[in-house]
Every structure is written in structure tokens, then in C-alpha cells.
Amino acid sequence: MAITVNAMKKVPVREQDPKVRATNFKEVCLGYNMEEAQAEASRCLKCKNAKCMTGCPVSIHIPDFIAKVQEGDIEGAANVIALSSALPAVCGRVCPQESQCEGVCIRGIKGEPISIGKLERFVADWSRENGFVPKAAEKKNGKKVAVIGSGPAGLTCAGDLAKLGYEVTIFEALHEPGGVLTYGIPEFRLPKNTVVRSEIENVKKLGVTIETNVIVGKTMTIDELFEEEGFDAVFIGSGAGLPKFMGIPGENANGVFSANEYLTRSNLMKAFRDDYDTPIVGGKKVAVVGGGNVAMDAARTALRLGAEVHIVYRRSEAELPARVEEVHHAKEEGIIFDLLTNPVEILTDEKGNVNGMVVRKMELGEPDASGRRRPVEIAGSDYTIDVDTVIMSLGTSPNPLISNTTKGLEINRRKCIVAEEATGKTSKEGVYAGGDAVTGAATVILAMEAGKAGAKGIHEYLSTK
């Protein structure tokens, strides 16, 4: 059946029914088929001065790839995207497009913006299903680069350097590569076997070697990578895996978890599957404290494991940092939002297990440094939520292992590595860094942008040596 295109409205994307998906870990969004993708692509104005490209942190040639989709030349579209991005199937699923490319789409001024993310995902999925492989460098240049961490920053940096002819080895601390793509983002948003592994395999096909179970700072140091392993430069893309807590009474109780631990058990260690022995708490009433994408991921995971789930967030819905789509999906699935509410104490029984959480109502005052209105406590508004599990999703900071074992590497007061934004250059010669290890917890696409900057900086540095 031919699709009727309304130039002002997006072609709807198919999704699992909310009641069905709330009980399984299969992907929520089903994506476009060829006909739907071509119909959506036909809405694009093909702007000469494309604002969507400036809104994309990795500067994908968006009008060019969309034009190829409209023509039905999906391999051509894949080649356009591959010039800028090593992880299109990931970005098409988890990027906050509404605040980036789609947020500045000219079509969106009077109507709905083009579904750029869904079109990128369509091209990437077609590429995987049809065996498309990005072009590798024709010859090596004889120089070796070590990349620490196989998350989005590390994979992007490694891919860009490999295309330039460098011999690149990624060192990953965990037993599976992918970083936050593997341990942080749930299966129902980002399938591991199909999407993540396939994207990693494409980076390896560019000539990149990945060594797992190597903890730089413990297994070997950065100085040893230079002196004993013969690397010419190092990129640190080790992420930010150290969770933050509130420091409130009862936070050490049995049944309080960081979102990082909770999601790692489920995603990397497959605790959501009955055929795996990894233990994970199966709370009946779960409170997730925080309002970002990680909080939504933890809440929606707990829901699928059979819990009644509350998101407890101290600001209003307008200030939620999570993607609009994630909040929408969470609400559809039945997650309860306790907004303008902040925990003050976690209650325990005689055995030290969580059996409630005292919260305080808040109201919004003047904007703070982030530009969001500051939450102010309402005196005498405390009440207790009946919960048996609390998951803290308050952000993360970098693990200090690398900075503690690397002389001459400057860090700031937040324990983040100090690096130039445009090049990733650090205070130590030959060492570059980017992603969450530099900025603290941020998005996948911003980590990729930093990986590209690091590759550019390393190439400029080694080209002059």
C-alpha cells in the first residue's frame, strides 16, 4: 500500500505495543521499512546551507545521505554516513536528535522536523543486513596508536585513525568491548548481538585490534605503552564509571544500588535472562532517583523484571534531562513519576534491608548555573514512599586509576582529565583524551565527537614527528 506523505508531519515509526513490551527485553522501536524511509526522506528540503549538519556533533552530510535514501540508493547513503560516523546504528537509536540535528531542521519551523535519526538507523540496519563494509585504508603508515576504552569515544577515535593508516590497538578493561553501549544501555533500546557487536566488527574490519581484560593503570601503565609496547601516541577514552551518591542516611542499606551496577548486571552480564546465573535484585517496589537517560533505562529495566517503579526527581518534567522519547516510552509502560520530590532518608528494617524512603516536596526557584530553575525545599512536606529497592542515578565521574598512575597528566577538581576540546591534547606529550573521562557523564554522540577530535589531534601530532 502506497504511503501518503504529509510534508508537515513525520511518517510514523512502528513500535511494540506498550503492554507487550513492558514484559520483554526486545527492542521497543521497530524502525522504518524501505517504503517508509523513502517517504520520510521525500519530506527533506535538501537545504543548501544545512543547519542539521551544524547540529550534528560528528558533522554527517545529512541532506546527501537522505537524498540517497529517497533515490533508493541505500549503499550510497551508507557511504556518505561512513565518512563521518563509525556507529550509525547506535546513533540512530540513542542520540538526542531533538536537541541536535532535528532540533535545527528547517522543516521543523512550520511542521515536524525530518526523522533524521530514524533514517540513519534504517541505513545502518540495511548495511548490516546486506553486508556493507566501510572502506579500510589502502596501506599502513607504520605508526602505532593505543586507545584506552572501547566505548563510543574510543571506537570513533580508533576507526578514524585506522582509516588514516595507523596501526591501532584498543585496550578494554571488561571482557566485552563496547563500553557504555554494552554495559549501560539496555537491550530494549540498543540490541547487543545485532547492533552493538556488528558496529564493533565494522571498526575491526578497518584494521583495529581490540584486547579485552586489560586494565590500564593496573595491567600496564600509559608509560609502559610508550616505553615497552612501542606506541607513538595514546588516546584515553575510558569513560566515567564511578557512581555518585547523595550522602543521605540509610544509603548503605541492602537494596540500594547505583544505576551503573544495576544496568551492568542486566546488560553486560545478562541478568535479565533466565538462562544466566548473574544475580540481580527483583524488587517489588523500586524507586529510581534521577531524571536522565540512565534513570529511565534503570526504571524501565526494573519494570521488565516485575517491579512497580517510581522515578523520583527533584525538578519538574520540563527540566528532565532524559530524551523526550525515553520519557514518553517510560510513561506509556506504566512508570510512575514523582516529580518535584527529593529523597532525604532511606528507611531500613531490623536486618538492614530497605523498607521505605522519606522524601520532601520541592518547588522551583531562580535558575542556577545550568540554566534550569533551582529546586527549593518546602518545609514540613516530608512523606514516605513504600519501596524495597532504591537505584541511585545521579551521574558518574571518571575512575582515578589512570590519572593516579600517570605522571604529568593534569586532572581538574572533578577528577576529569584536562584536555583541549578541539584536539584532545592533554598535559602529557603524546597523550590525548576525550569523552566522559574528560567531561564527566555525557551522551554517546558527544563522546564520538571527542573521539574524532582526538584522532585529528593525534594525526596532526604524529604527522609532524
Side-chain angles (χ1 to χ4, degrees):
M1 188 177 79
I3 294 171
T4 305
V5 179
N6 177 343
M8 295 300 157
K9 285 209 169 290
K10 292 180 177 183
V11 172
V13 67
R14 289 163 293 116
E15 294 179 344
Q16 270 199 80
D17 179 86
K19 287 189 175 65
V20 175
R21 72 181 190 237
T23 64
N24 68 50
F25 278 82
K26 293 174 186 166
E27 192 168 13
V28 167
C29 180
L30 304 176
Y32 284 146
N33 60 27
M34 176 69 89
E35 192 180 15
E36 291 163 341
Q38 286 183 282
E40 181 61 20
S42 74
R43 297 179 57 235
C44 179
L45 297 170
K46 319 291 189 296
C47 305
K48 290 283 182 283
N49 179 22
K51 284 190 163 33
C52 54
M53 277 184 63
T54 58
C56 172
V58 295
S59 303
I60 290 172
H61 291 263
I62 292 168
D64 292 358
F65 101 73
I66 290 178
K68 297 283 187 192
V69 172
Q70 188 178 349
E71 293 163 16
D73 178 9
I74 312 306
E75 184 172 352
N79 277 315
V80 171
I81 294 172
L83 294 171
S84 308
S85 174
L87 306 171
V90 169
C91 289
R93 286 167 166 83
V94 304
C95 269
Q97 286 98 3
E98 69 271 9
S99 61
Q100 292 173 171
C101 54
E102 294 179 21
V104 291
C105 172
I106 298 298
R107 174 59 83 195
I109 293 173
K110 288 186 177 174
E112 292 181 348
I114 306 301
S115 286
I116 298 167
K118 298 292 188 286
L119 290 174
E120 181 181 18
R121 169 194 163 140
F122 168 75
V123 173
D125 289 354
W126 181 95
S127 301
R128 181 180 68 251
E129 289 155 13
N130 289 273
F132 171 82
V133 178
K135 294 180 179 70
E138 289 180 10
K139 59 179 183 178
K140 298 284 186 191
N141 62 20
K143 291 177 178 169
K144 288 172 63 180
V145 179
V147 172
I148 302 167
S150 64
L155 289 170
T156 300
C157 183
D160 279 13
L161 288 169
K163 287 179 196 169
L164 292 167
Y166 291 92
E167 188 182 321
V168 185
T169 303
I170 296 177
F171 296 101
E172 168 56 49
L174 297 175
H175 61 278
E176 284 272 353
V180 71
L181 308 176
T182 297
Y183 72 73
I185 303 173
E187 189 76 12
F188 54 81
R189 272 218 297 145
L190 190 62
K192 309 298 169 232
N193 280 341
T194 47
V195 175
V196 177
R197 282 193 180 159
S198 161
E199 304 268 79
I200 292 168
E201 283 305 312
N202 277 345
V203 172
K204 287 165 76 172
K205 283 171 185 169
L206 293 170
V208 174
T209 302
I210 301 179
E211 292 188 21
T212 55
N213 300 309
V214 179
I215 304 172
V216 175
K218 213 159 194 173
T219 313
M220 64 176 77
T221 64
I222 284 179
D223 288 327
E224 286 168 349
L225 288 173
F226 284 115
E227 294 158 14
E228 296 175 22
E229 302 292 330
F231 286 99
D232 299 293
V234 173
F235 177 79
I236 304 169
S238 50
L242 208 60
K244 294 177 182 173
F245 288 89
M246 292 185 73
I248 59 174
E251 213 167 17
N252 292 326
N254 301 324
V256 180
F257 299 88
S258 72
N260 244 34
E261 179 190 350
Y262 188 76
L263 289 169
T264 300
R265 283 175 182 271
S266 178
N267 300 331
L268 175 70
M269 302 167 77
K270 305 289 189 286
F272 68 90
R273 283 175 49 174
D274 293 336
D275 55 338
Y276 274 70
D277 292 334
T278 309
I280 193 165
V281 65
K284 289 188 172 57
K285 290 194 174 179
V286 176
V288 178
V289 181
N293 288 326
V294 176
M296 298 304 145
D297 286 344
R300 295 172 69 201
T301 296
L303 180 87
R304 282 158 172 77
L305 292 171
E308 174 189 299
V309 185
H310 294 248
I311 291 268
V312 178
Y313 181 61
R314 63 191 186 139
R315 289 182 164 102
S316 73
E317 184 168 343
E319 286 80 28
L320 279 168
R323 290 178 72 204
V324 173
E325 186 178 44
E326 305 313 320
V327 176
H328 168 67
H329 283 156
K331 284 181 171 178
E332 277 190 330
E333 290 164 10
I335 284 165
I336 300 154
F337 282 73
D338 295 332
L339 301 169
L340 290 167
T341 304
N342 204 38
V344 290
E345 183 182 359
I346 294 166
L347 305 175
T348 58
D349 62 18
E350 63 281 357
K351 292 182 179 174
N353 298 316
V354 173
N355 70 354
M357 185 166 75
V358 180
V359 296
R360 187 167 295 159
K361 294 303 289 179
M362 314 290 280
E363 59 187 357
L364 294 179
E366 294 302 309
D368 62 14
S370 74
R372 294 181 298 173
R373 292 173 65 194
R374 186 189 300 278
V376 180
E377 295 182 348
I378 299 174
S381 64
D382 292 12
Y383 67 99
T384 301
I385 301 179
D386 175 24
V387 291
D388 57 22
T389 306
V390 177
I391 300 170
M392 292 292 183
S393 182
L394 306 165
T396 52
S397 58
N399 189 312
L401 192 58
I402 288 175
S403 54
N404 285 349
T405 57
T406 310
K407 282 182 186 160
L409 188 65
E410 186 187 349
I411 58 171
N412 62 23
R413 60 182 179 77
R414 296 185 300 137
K415 303 284 192 290
C416 294
I417 297 166
V418 175
E420 290 177 8
E421 190 176 340
T423 63
K425 188 174 187 288
T426 72
S427 57
K428 188 174 175 73
E429 188 182 349
V431 177
Y432 293 72
D436 292 4
V438 171
T439 59
T443 61
V444 166
I445 191 67
L446 290 177
M448 289 174 62
E449 180 184 29
K452 288 187 87 65
K456 178 172 167 279
I458 288 169
H459 182 52
E460 286 170 1
Y461 167 69
L462 293 179
S463 297
T464 60
K465 286 197 78 177

